[in-house]
Every structure is written in C-alpha cells, then in structure tokens.
Amino acid sequence: MKRSERLVAMTNYLIEHPQQLVSLPFFTNEYESAKSSISEDLTIINQMFQQQGIGYLQTIPGAAGGVKYIPRNSKEKSELFIDQLATKLEDPERLLPGGYLFMSDLLGDPQTVRNIGRLFATHFSDSTIDAVVTVATKGIPLAYAVASYLNVPVVIVRRDPKVTEGSTVSINYVSGSSRKIQTMVLSKRSLKQGANVLIVDDFMKAGGTINGMKSLLEEFEANVAGIGVLAEAEDEDEDRVVDDYVSLLQINNVDIKNRKIEVHRGNLFEQ
Amino acid sequence: MKRSERLVAMTNYLIEHPQQLVSLPFFTNEYESAKSSISEDLTIINQMFQQQGIGYLQTIPGAAGGVKYIPRNSKEKSELFIDQLATKLEDPERLLPGGYLFMSDLLGDPQTVRNIGRLFATHFSDSTIDAVVTVATKGIPLAYAVASYLNVPVVIVRRDPKVTEGSTVSINYVSGSSRKIQTMVLSKRSLKQGANVLIVDDFMKAGGTINGMKSLLEEFEANVAGIGVLAEAEDEDEDRVVDDYVSLLQINNVDIKNRKIEVHRGNLFEQ
C-alpha cells in the first residue's frame, strides 16, 4: 500500500479506536508495509493530530507496546467551543418557569454532545477510569460521548427498576433542591466491585443527585475518580453537598424579571 | 502543507463531519493548497474509504458544491458485526425471569453502540431525515449514534414531563405486551411541525411503544420516514401492531427450561 493510502486508513483506524493500544505488527500486517514505513506514518499522524489540536499518539515501547491515540482538545479549541455554548445559553428565550433553562436542543445535537465529551475526556485523560456512570435521562448522551473518547463502558443509574436489568441495588436519597426522598437503582451486573468510575451529569444545583449516585456507588465499593457536570447553578437555599467536581459552564444570575441570564466558563477552565 | 499532512488533517475533518457539505475553498484556505491538489487528495480519500468499507465521498458539482462524507458500512462488515453480536446474545447467562435478555452490558459499550448506529445510518443514508426520535431510556445511546452519522438532532420522548422541558404534548397509549395504559410526553419546542423523523429503539415485541411514538408524532404532523429497532422478539399473545420497520436482530425461541436462546439476523439483512 502507498504511503498516501496508508495515512488515510491509519488516521481513520486510530480515530475510531481512541485510548486503545494498537501494536505495530497490526499495522504492518493490515497494510502490508515495512515497520520503518509505519513508524514514519505514525510520526506524521502524531504531528498533524497535535497541530489540529485533537490529541496525540502515545508510544508504548517494548514487545507488548504500540501506539495509542489520546484524544485531547487544545486549550484554544476548548475555550472557543465553551464560549460559543455559553452565548447560546444566554438567549432569554431559554428561560422557563422557576428559572430553569431549556437546553434540550443543545443536548440533542450530536456534534455539541461529542464536543462536550471531548472536553471531559481531555480533562480526565490521565486518570484511571474503568466506567462512566450517569443517571437517566439527560446525562446519558454526555456519558456516552465521554466514554467513547476514554474507551470505557457506560453504566446507567435509573430512577425505577426494570425487568430487563435483572437484580438491582437501590438506595433512597434526599434531593438537594426539592428535599424530596427519591430512589436510584443500579443493576447488580452492570458494575464490577471496586471499579474506578467517572460520574457525568448535565446539571448540578445543590448536588443531591450526584451525592445519591455516590452513595449508590459505595454499595459497589466503587472509587469515584472524578465528577464532571456540564452546567452548575447556584442554589440560594442550600449549600452544595458536593465539592470535588469539575464543571464546563456556570449559570449565574438568572434574572427572570428582566429576562437576563449570565453564563460563564466553569471551574474546569480555572485549573 | 504537504500532501501527507493534508491527508491526515482532511481524513480527520471528514470523519468528524459526516453528511456535511464541505466546499473545496474551505479546504484550499484551511490547508493553503491549490484546488487541484485538494481534488487529488479527495480522490485518494474516497478510494480508501471505499476500500476500508466505511463509506464514500459524494461530490456535489457547481458553485455551491463540495464533498460530503457518507458513512456507509460494507455488507461484509455489517454482517460480521451483527453475527458476533447475535452470538453474544445467545449466552444463556443473559436469561432473565420472564424470558427477557440482559443486554445492558452490550448497550453500555460505546464501540458496539457506534457500530449499531453505523448500520442504521447505512440503511437510511438515502432517506430524507430531519431528526432521530427515541423514547427514554435504552434507545437514547442508539439514537445518538445513528443521528451522529446522519448529522441530524436527537429528540427524546419521555415517560414523565420535566420542568426543564418547558410545555409538552402528551398522549396515553396501551402498551402492547402488558396492556397497561402508559403516557408519553414530548417537549413542544423539541420538534418542528412537519419534520421527517426516523424512530429508533432498542427492542420491539408487540410494538406498542413504537405505536405510541407514532401517535405522539402525529400531534407534531411529523412524517415517519423510517423505524429501526435493534432487536425484535415474537409475542405469542398478540399480533404486531407495527409492520414497516427494520430490525438488526431477531430473538427467537427463548427456551427458559433448557436455557437456550436463538438469535438471528434481523429483517434489515433480507432487503
């Protein structure tokens, strides 16, 4: 195979298999090329990935080694994306009764969701994560986007048990904002004991839901390696019960009377 | 920029922007290269995409023209993937009370979910589709995977209204298998009147849920351009109420006593 053809095929393969170790013999067999040619190809790809701000190739030496594509947004790319998203969220048309913001259109756009996933995956790319955990419903697409770039499975906590889940573990918790007692269930089969998990959700106010997930995960002896929320908002009535989280956006000063919303970069950008 | 570098950058760009028209001037500006060089690059990329069985580049001529990457699995790739998935589902360990199958682990794997999305996107790549519609919870990741390859938004029907959805339209329908009356709601803002929609779900027995979605979509004067389900199973007690669908898998003869399950290719592969 010619270099030009190999570069297209290898770029596609690496992008489709993020965070996955690919051995050099795999490429030499697949494209019937010498090891030295493949190495040169990988150097070109690595340079271009970095130049395009989409990540880099990690080389693992030795007999069991190979290369791994680590998706990683450049700082400029991340900031540009989040500032555009913040501007969209400041549209007063989004205001709903109770000071909530309509976000379903943005969360319904696969490209936006993938970009959000890239930001979290960039932040947590050096952490050991075995699974991404979220709670139904709105966090699900975000969790898959992150998991896809981290190459780990998604585990979905539900509000109600379903027969197709098999036996489940359930907990009751107090919701932060509404102070109502709520239930969360997780299928016993869905998470191994002692797994390192990343919690992902779309929105956090007091943090009751995330705290509920943490309690449920304790039943699985899981280690919470990180918590990522798309947007956080202040809760006047209550102190936050979760503190070790990163957010992409901060929603401040929702002024229903004057129909004004301020949305800023979240704390992920302060670090 | 050198050809080798351009090929990496352009391959990445096209894969990240499926079903999106990219003008030649965009590439010539972005990579500071002559139109003739870009054209040659696109020919190489097109050939390799076809050879790798991942799709092709569609050329739209004229001043407003350009190229579009159409993701499309080769027949061999699709059949290989679905046969492997069928084998995994035949594992008797998956049997749950009531003859249900545990599938959450497979639906929790982002790579599997993306592959399922590619199969549906391949099948519906020539249809006019403005949005992918699914119902919470299990259909959500599949819907995003399909939508991502078709470059259209996802619209999620819920079982219960939520304050963050704004005003909603709701319907009651009779579930096919349990014959219970259930509710479905869809945010008014989430779908334009008269849109062409593709319905995607994980599982279909009698088809009551899909039928419910169809009724709800009528309230939006939507045109159902297609229905895709990952797995269909026979319902001994009731005739199917939906017939114009494609399935990737058929679950037959779930024999609880002898712990045997037969899973075959769905009707998508008969067409």
Side-chain angles (χ1 to χ4, degrees):
Chain A
M1 200 184 276
K2 278 193 277 185
R3 159 142 304 149
S4 56
E5 295 173 346
R6 275 199 319 264
L7 285 171
V8 175
M10 285 168 72
T11 300
N12 169 51
Y13 188 89
L14 289 162
I15 290 176
E16 289 283 329
H17 299 84
Q19 290 273 7
Q20 215 163 301
L21 186 67
V22 190
S23 71
L24 253 58
F26 171 83
F27 284 131
T28 55
N29 283 334
E30 190 77 9
Y31 308 126
E32 294 169 349
S33 304
K35 216 172 159 179
S36 58
S37 310
I38 296 289
S39 290
E40 284 167 35
D41 297 342
L42 290 170
T43 305
I44 298 170
I45 294 173
N46 187 22
Q47 278 168 356
M48 284 312 293
F49 279 10
Q50 292 187 39
Q51 203 176 303
Q52 301 287 307
I54 64 160
Y56 65 100
L57 299 186
Q58 188 182 23
T59 308
I60 288 106
V67 287
K68 238 189 211 181
Y69 164 44
I70 313 289
R72 206 165 198 166
N73 259 21
S74 63
K75 204 164 169 278
E76 301 74 49
K77 244 187 144 140
S78 298
E79 290 177 352
L80 181 70
F81 167 74
I82 219 64
D83 290 346
Q84 287 173 339
L85 196 58
T87 307
K88 283 183 195 159
L89 281 173
E90 286 178 334
D91 180 352
E93 290 293 309
R94 297 190 172 278
L95 265 175
L96 293 172
Y100 289 96
L101 292 188
F102 183 79
M103 290 171 64
S104 300
D105 58 331
L106 299 173
L107 290 179
D109 174 43
Q111 185 98 41
T112 302
V113 167
R114 278 209 306 274
N115 277 326
I116 294 167
R118 281 194 89 96
L119 292 205
F120 284 125
T122 298
H123 186 79
F124 292 106
S125 65
D126 295 330
S127 312
T128 304
I129 289 161
D130 303 314
V132 175
V133 178
T134 191
V135 63
T137 310
K138 293 201 187 243
I140 297 176
L142 301 181
Y144 273 84
V146 182
S148 154
Y149 289 115
L150 293 177
N151 187 33
V152 297
V154 175
V155 173
I156 300 174
V157 173
R158 300 179 59 99
R159 302 288 186 181
D160 52 327
K162 246 197 132 179
V163 60
T164 50
E165 296 282 341
S167 55
T168 55
V169 175
S170 84
I171 59 140
N172 296 312
Y173 71 102
V174 180
S175 146
S177 349
S178 65
R179 285 167 188 273
K180 271 191 283 189
I181 292 179
Q182 298 195 286
T183 307
M184 277 187 187
V185 298
L186 185 52
S187 162
K188 268 193 183 169
R189 293 201 201 186
S190 62
L191 193 62
K192 283 202 190 88
Q193 290 281 322
N196 297 297
V197 301
L198 169 62
I199 295 177
V200 168
D201 209 358
D202 62 320
F203 189 75
M204 182 173 82
K205 226 166 170 174
T209 304
I210 300 231
N211 227 18
M213 273 197 267
K214 283 171 82 172
S215 307
L216 182 54
L217 288 165
E218 274 173 24
E219 299 293 321
F220 290 80
E221 286 166 34
N223 164 42
V224 178
I227 298 169
V229 295
L230 171 59
E232 58 170 317
E234 284 154 2
D235 189 343
E236 306 111 36
D237 306 328
E238 190 157 6
D239 285 339
R240 190 152 282 159
V241 289
V242 172
D243 46 17
D244 49 346
Y245 65 93
V246 292
S247 65
L248 299 188
L249 293 164
Q250 271 168 343
I251 300 173
N252 311 101
N253 309 322
V254 178
D255 180 348
I256 305 176
K257 233 183 189 168
N258 299 305
R259 297 181 66 75
K260 265 187 81 89
I261 312 147
E262 267 180 50
V263 182
H264 300 285
R265 289 180 190 167
N267 70 11
L268 182 138
F269 295 90
E270 291 161 16
Q271 299 172 344
Chain B
M1 201 184 274
K2 279 194 275 185
R3 159 142 304 148
S4 56
E5 295 173 345
R6 274 199 319 261
L7 285 171
V8 175
M10 284 168 73
T11 299
N12 169 51
Y13 189 89
L14 289 162
I15 290 176
E16 289 283 329
H17 298 85
Q19 291 274 7
Q20 214 163 303
L21 186 67
V22 190
S23 72
L24 254 58
F26 171 83
F27 285 131
T28 55
N29 284 334
E30 191 77 9
Y31 309 126
E32 294 170 351
S33 305
K35 217 173 157 178
S36 58
S37 311
I38 297 289
S39 290
E40 285 168 35
D41 298 342
L42 290 170
T43 305
I44 298 170
I45 294 173
N46 187 22
Q47 278 169 355
M48 284 312 292
F49 279 10
Q50 292 187 39
Q51 202 177 302
Q52 302 287 307
I54 64 159
Y56 66 100
L57 299 186
Q58 188 182 23
T59 309
I60 287 106
V67 288
K68 238 189 212 181
Y69 164 43
I70 314 288
R72 208 168 196 162
N73 259 20
S74 64
K75 205 165 168 278
E76 301 74 48
K77 245 186 146 145
S78 298
E79 290 177 352
L80 181 69
F81 167 73
I82 219 65
D83 290 346
Q84 287 172 338
L85 196 58
T87 306
K88 284 183 196 160
L89 281 174
E90 285 179 337
D91 180 353
E93 291 292 311
R94 297 190 172 278
L95 265 176
L96 294 172
Y100 290 95
L101 291 188
F102 184 78
M103 291 170 63
S104 301
D105 58 331
L106 299 172
L107 290 178
D109 174 42
Q111 186 97 41
T112 302
V113 166
R114 278 208 307 272
N115 277 327
I116 293 168
R118 282 194 87 96
L119 292 205
F120 284 126
T122 299
H123 186 80
F124 292 107
S125 65
D126 295 330
S127 311
T128 304
I129 288 160
D130 303 314
V132 175
V133 177
T134 192
V135 64
T137 312
K138 293 201 188 243
I140 297 176
L142 302 180
Y144 273 84
V146 182
S148 154
Y149 289 116
L150 293 177
N151 187 33
V152 297
V154 175
V155 173
I156 300 174
V157 173
R158 299 179 59 100
R159 301 288 186 181
D160 51 327
K162 246 197 133 179
V163 60
T164 50
E165 296 283 340
S167 55
T168 56
V169 175
S170 84
I171 59 141
N172 296 312
Y173 72 102
V174 180
S175 147
S177 348
S178 64
R179 286 168 188 271
K180 271 191 281 187
I181 293 179
Q182 299 195 285
T183 307
M184 277 185 187
V185 298
L186 184 53
S187 162
K188 268 192 183 171
R189 293 200 200 186
S190 63
L191 193 63
K192 283 202 191 88
Q193 291 280 322
N196 297 297
V197 301
L198 169 62
I199 294 176
V200 168
D201 209 358
D202 63 319
F203 189 74
M204 182 172 82
K205 225 167 170 175
T209 305
I210 301 236
N211 228 18
M213 273 198 266
K214 283 171 82 171
S215 308
L216 182 54
L217 288 165
E218 273 172 26
E219 298 293 320
F220 290 80
E221 286 166 36
N223 163 42
V224 177
I227 298 170
V229 295
L230 170 59
E232 58 169 317
E234 283 154 4
D235 189 344
E236 306 110 37
D237 306 329
E238 190 158 6
D239 285 339
R240 191 152 280 159
V241 290
V242 172
D243 47 16
D244 48 347
Y245 65 92
V246 292
S247 65
L248 299 189
L249 294 164
Q250 272 168 342
I251 300 172
N252 310 103
N253 308 323
V254 177
D255 181 346
I256 306 176
K257 236 182 186 167
N258 300 304
R259 297 182 65 75
K260 265 188 78 90
I261 312 147
E262 268 180 48
V263 182
H264 301 284
R265 288 180 191 169
N267 69 11
L268 183 138
F269 294 91
E270 290 161 16
Q271 298 172 344

